[in-house]
Amino acid sequence: MARPQRDNPEKFGRLDGLLPKAEGKIKPNPASLPKELDIEGLPEGRWIARGVYRMEREFAYGRWYGKKMLASPAESGRTLRHWGGDAVPVFLDTETTGLSGGTGTYAFLIGLGLCGEDSFRVVQLFLAGPAWERSWLAAIEAELPEHYGLVTYNGRAFDLPLLRTRYTLARAVPSWGGAPHMDLLSLSRHFYKGRLSSCSLSSIERNVLGLRRSGEDVPGSEIPWMYTQFLRTQDAGPLRGIFNHNTLDIVSLAALQIHIAEMARGECSCAADMIRAGDLWAAKGFQEKARAAWEGALDFRHDRHFALLRLAEAERAAGNYEAAYRYYEESLETERRPVRTLETMAKIEEHRFRRCGDALAHATEALRWLESHRIFKDRQWEEDRKNLLHRIERLKRKLAAKECGEDVFPGDGGEL
């Protein structure tokens, strides 16, 4: 549970030194000033400090969010712990005065997604002007649970560095500096790069989560300008779209984490997802989980050969050449460009099975495929052809030497 909100940020222990100490006389306590500002159009919420406005929305578990049903993200956080996930995730997203970063850019709105027992809560803290930023930072700290992990989308490159800069300028150290952190952008790119035209959160929402935002949403590029207008007019009515935009970003992060965790567990609807799930585990060194995902991909009709090749490479790396060869052989049935597989089979036959005749047959077949597909001719095509010609000539010499009774495998450790 979040700690109680404290009206006096100067007494907030985890931000010692956040407010400058008085020199020669006691400075007025900001909490003793009236909290409320004369600002029109703010949604339902309350002032918790001078210039800091708090809003909260609740989303019951079990409701549909696009194509996904919203549930507690706690279990998905545990599943993704090797990528920075946590059983107590705090989803974080900021809206800022610019996208370039630097000391001149600051965040004026932060959304925090917090997991409750029956619902998902989005707490938003609005900064009414840069003069009250210290109180705003203290308010963020007061909302965080005791133990948690942060979840962002591109937060590693933007949100968190920007916030660290603001803490530094306030002569403070964020309590979340050592917390686990998972950036869902990198995981989204792992699964969808090359499959979607963009891996932006809006693209993931449309194409993966099945979410279509309403006309109340605000394009991210317009947000800095809208806040600048607010500072001039003190009318927060036009900012309601920004508050809605930020809320949806936070809920999307929770839904996306659940979705990615499902794929990591092998709950996939196509071979491509299963294969990339296996790749995800393999990159962390969990070969058994990777193999299980790749084997699961064989249950699908399309893209099976990619899974077969992953399994073949795993067996080959483990020195199980018979098993690897069988996977390569099966993959040939559906491969569109089989040159690499044919060449690899030729290598295994030549150096491991000592079957030069079979090796020559596969190398020749690979060369024949290349010659019949000159439309693909490029530098790689030329390199492949050169290597195959070299291999074919060597195999022919070995076969000729074998007919003469010579030892054609003296000290052959193989080139595999």
Side-chain angles (χ1 to χ4, degrees):
M1 295 190 53
R3 293 183 299 282
Q5 182 71 37
R6 305 192 183 189
D7 291 335
N8 183 358
E10 197 167 21
K11 294 182 180 179
F12 187 57
R14 292 207 293 172
L15 280 181
D16 291 340
L18 186 62
L19 295 178
K21 295 181 179 179
E23 296 179 4
K25 62 178 180 178
I26 298 177
K27 294 192 175 182
N29 186 344
S32 67
L33 301 174
K35 294 179 183 178
E36 291 78 10
L37 298 179
D38 188 17
I39 295 176
E40 298 179 355
L42 283 168
E44 183 179 352
R46 63 189 178 93
W47 294 100
I48 57 174
R50 184 73 171 171
V52 182
Y53 191 76
R54 184 184 187 276
M55 298 158 281
E56 181 173 338
R57 292 184 64 181
E58 204 166 314
F59 299 84
Y61 297 141
R63 64 177 291 180
W64 287 96
Y65 186 75
K67 295 188 297 186
K68 308 297 293 185
M69 182 176 288
L70 191 62
S72 171
E75 181 60 33
S76 59
R78 282 189 285 265
T79 299
L80 300 173
R81 64 186 181 278
H82 300 292
W83 293 271
D86 194 273
V88 185
V90 173
F91 300 87
L92 181 152
D93 185 59
T94 62
E95 308 303 335
T96 68
T97 59
L99 301 177
S100 59
T103 57
T105 301
Y106 64 92
F108 65 86
L109 178 68
I110 190 168
L112 300 172
L114 305 168
C115 305
E117 291 186 5
D118 302 313
S119 62
F120 183 72
R121 295 188 301 119
V122 177
V123 173
Q124 292 177 300
L125 299 171
F126 174 63
L127 175 60
W132 301 288
E133 187 177 37
R134 291 188 177 94
S135 297
W136 183 77
L137 293 171
I140 294 172
E141 294 279 336
E143 294 291 344
L144 298 173
E146 288 295 338
H147 304 286
Y148 59 91
L150 292 177
V151 184
T152 64
Y153 205 86
N154 199 33
R156 183 171 286 112
F158 185 74
D159 299 82
L160 297 190
L162 184 143
L163 286 174
R164 285 193 185 95
T165 297
R166 306 316 303 179
Y167 274 83
T168 299
L169 293 174
R171 298 192 297 281
V173 177
S175 64
W176 43 262
H181 174 219
M182 179 167 61
D183 195 329
L184 290 177
L185 174 60
S186 60
L187 289 171
S188 296
R189 283 174 172 165
H190 174 83
F191 280 102
Y192 296 109
K193 186 176 182 180
R195 300 167 68 189
L196 298 179
S197 58
S198 168
C199 286
S200 65
L201 184 57
S202 59
S203 174
I204 294 293
E205 283 180 343
R206 289 192 306 272
N207 298 290
V208 178
L209 302 180
L211 178 70
R212 297 293 185 271
R213 296 199 180 194
S214 70
E216 297 178 359
D217 190 38
V218 174
S221 59
E222 296 182 11
I223 290 176
W225 176 84
M226 294 178 67
Y227 182 68
T228 301
Q229 293 298 108
F230 158 77
L231 293 177
R232 293 172 181 166
T233 64
Q234 294 296 288
D235 180 7
L239 302 185
R240 285 176 174 263
I242 298 177
F243 301 143
N244 184 59
H245 173 96
N246 181 260
T247 298
L248 290 178
D249 281 353
I250 294 294
V251 182
S252 290
L253 291 185
L256 179 58
Q257 175 179 291
I258 294 169
H259 174 70
I260 289 177
E262 288 173 349
M263 290 195 293
R265 290 194 295 264
E267 301 169 19
C268 303
S269 58
C270 64
D273 287 343
M274 291 293 288
I275 292 166
R276 296 200 182 197
D279 295 348
L280 194 70
W281 289 111
K284 288 292 183 180
F286 295 93
Q287 293 301 325
E288 289 305 314
K289 288 188 175 183
R291 188 188 300 270
W294 294 330
E295 288 176 348
L298 300 180
D299 295 334
F300 295 90
R301 180 177 179 181
H302 298 290
D303 296 328
R304 292 182 74 256
H305 70 278
F306 291 114
L308 290 166
L309 291 176
R310 298 292 201 287
L311 290 164
E313 288 300 316
E315 296 290 0
R316 181 181 169 192
N320 303 323
Y321 295 102
E322 291 283 358
Y325 188 87
R326 288 194 295 271
Y327 282 127
Y328 283 126
E329 196 170 35
E330 188 177 352
S331 75
L332 283 177
E333 298 176 6
T334 54
E335 277 193 70
R336 295 181 179 179
R337 187 169 182 169
V339 173
R340 193 73 62 225
T341 299
L342 288 167
E343 184 179 21
T344 302
M345 291 173 68
K347 290 179 181 180
I348 294 175
E349 287 161 339
E350 177 184 0
H351 299 291
R352 299 300 171 183
F353 301 161
R354 308 298 173 86
R355 302 198 302 248
C356 288
D358 291 341
L360 178 60
H362 281 120
T364 302
E365 185 179 353
L367 179 64
R368 187 182 303 116
W369 190 94
L370 274 181
E371 296 286 3
S372 63
H373 291 79
R374 288 181 173 271
I375 190 174
F376 297 129
K377 189 172 182 179
D378 56 12
R379 182 176 295 179
Q380 185 60 55
W381 187 96
E382 295 282 1
E383 186 68 22
D384 288 342
R385 184 175 183 276
K386 177 183 175 182
N387 291 338
L388 286 168
L389 287 172
H390 176 74
R391 183 174 303 280
I392 288 169
E393 289 303 314
R394 187 179 67 249
L395 287 167
K396 286 180 177 179
R397 289 196 301 271
K398 282 189 174 183
L399 287 171
K402 186 176 181 180
E403 291 178 0
C404 297
E406 299 178 15
D407 182 4
V408 297
F409 300 105
D412 187 0
E415 60 178 280
L416 298 177

